[in-house]
Amino acid sequence: MSADQDVTTRVVLVDDQELVRAGLAMVIDSQPDLAVTGQVGNGTEAVALLRDLACDIVLMDVRMPGMDGVEATRQILAEADAAQRSAPRIVMLTTYDLDEYLLAAIQAGASGFLLKNSRPDSLLAAIRTVRSGDSVIAPSATRRLIEHLTAARTLSAAPDPLVADLTEREREVLLLLARGGSNQEISAQLYLSETTVKTHVRHILAKLGIRDRVQAVVYAYESGLVRPGD
């Protein structure tokens, strides 16, 4: 086991279908560095459970009876922030590759968005990626998210003053993130190592007070750093 796997990542499953939860639990618990530590069937139960149960990652279904996954995500993160406790990172799972869920989940603070028909190895990779502080999003949805943000952005809004705290290189990295660039693509375009790109991304998140790179994309558009047509 590597040094990164010495600490078990605690995962909570939130899905109204017991069979889906059982399948996810079987895949996750087969890994030496991952463990399912809680399971519930709807958003209301998830909010209540996570007030008392510490975990690292939540796999959250989007569509559930009662409180859906988007509202549950919003409440879980808001309560953690209000209590000044570490918030879990939330990956949304859905059968439906639809724009309305994607945008709502990201705006609620989700760190990832994956389809339920993803391969088991893709799911495990997503959990580890989010645990490391990065974010994941279904490739088919990335461009549409950017299109949504571009369409919604108005030319009259002024840039957020926090942008001034970024170095010139950090602004370049953020702009490329906002255009959907991966670490590898940013590395090639700016002639930097991927390690250096990751360092810049960490500094950007810290300076802007945001959770992950998906939120950085949203920030870049909503702050006015990137404008429609750029």
Side-chain angles (χ1 to χ4, degrees):
M1 187 179 295
S2 70
D4 291 339
Q5 294 178 323
D6 288 341
V7 178
T8 299
T9 297
R10 302 160 296 180
V11 182
V12 165
L13 307 178
V14 185
D15 196 295
D16 61 322
Q17 298 182 45
E18 290 188 25
L19 189 59
V20 171
R21 296 202 308 268
L24 291 171
M26 183 172 63
V27 171
I28 293 166
D29 284 334
S30 70
Q31 303 298 299
D33 59 319
L34 307 176
V36 173
T37 56
Q39 299 187 40
V40 290
N42 59 56
T44 302
E45 293 175 348
V47 173
L49 176 68
L50 291 169
R51 287 187 185 125
D52 301 314
L53 178 67
C55 78
D56 304 301
I57 305 292
V58 179
L59 297 185
M60 177 84 73
D61 189 18
V62 171
R63 298 183 64 177
M64 295 179 288
M67 185 187 294
D68 65 19
V70 174
E71 180 57 28
T73 295
R74 189 176 292 112
Q75 289 196 27
I76 288 166
L77 297 179
E79 289 191 10
D81 288 345
Q84 296 184 327
R85 66 173 183 267
S86 179
R89 304 179 73 82
I90 300 176
V91 177
M92 310 299 294
L93 295 175
T94 182
T95 307
Y96 307 93
D97 188 10
L98 300 178
D99 297 342
E100 59 182 295
Y101 298 120
L102 166 66
L103 191 58
I106 296 306
Q107 289 178 330
S111 296
F113 183 91
L114 291 175
L115 301 181
K116 287 185 179 179
N117 63 2
S118 298
R119 293 169 50 90
D121 56 347
S122 297
L123 173 66
L124 295 171
I127 292 172
R128 294 184 176 109
T129 296
V130 172
R131 181 68 175 99
S132 72
D134 211 331
S135 55
V136 293
I137 187 168
S140 61
T142 303
R143 295 296 176 185
R144 294 201 318 281
L145 172 62
I146 293 172
E147 289 166 5
H148 268 296
L149 294 168
T150 302
R153 179 71 207 153
T154 62
L155 288 170
S156 59
D160 190 303
L162 285 177
V163 172
D165 293 335
L166 302 179
T167 67
E168 186 61 33
R169 180 64 85 188
E170 288 165 354
R171 287 169 63 95
E172 290 176 334
V173 171
L174 180 56
L175 284 169
L176 293 175
L177 277 178
R179 291 168 184 152
S182 66
N183 286 344
Q184 185 176 18
E185 290 167 341
I186 295 171
S187 170
Q189 188 157 346
L190 297 181
Y191 301 101
L192 301 172
S193 70
E194 286 191 50
T195 299
T196 300
V197 171
K198 290 178 181 178
T199 299
H200 284 311
V201 171
R202 284 199 302 272
H203 290 167
I204 290 166
L205 300 183
K207 288 182 178 181
L208 299 181
I210 50 183
R211 287 188 172 89
D212 51 51
R213 63 193 296 133
V214 172
Q215 299 300 320
V217 173
V218 175
Y219 176 91
Y221 282 92
E222 292 186 342
S223 70
L225 180 63
V226 177
R227 294 176 180 272
D230 280 358

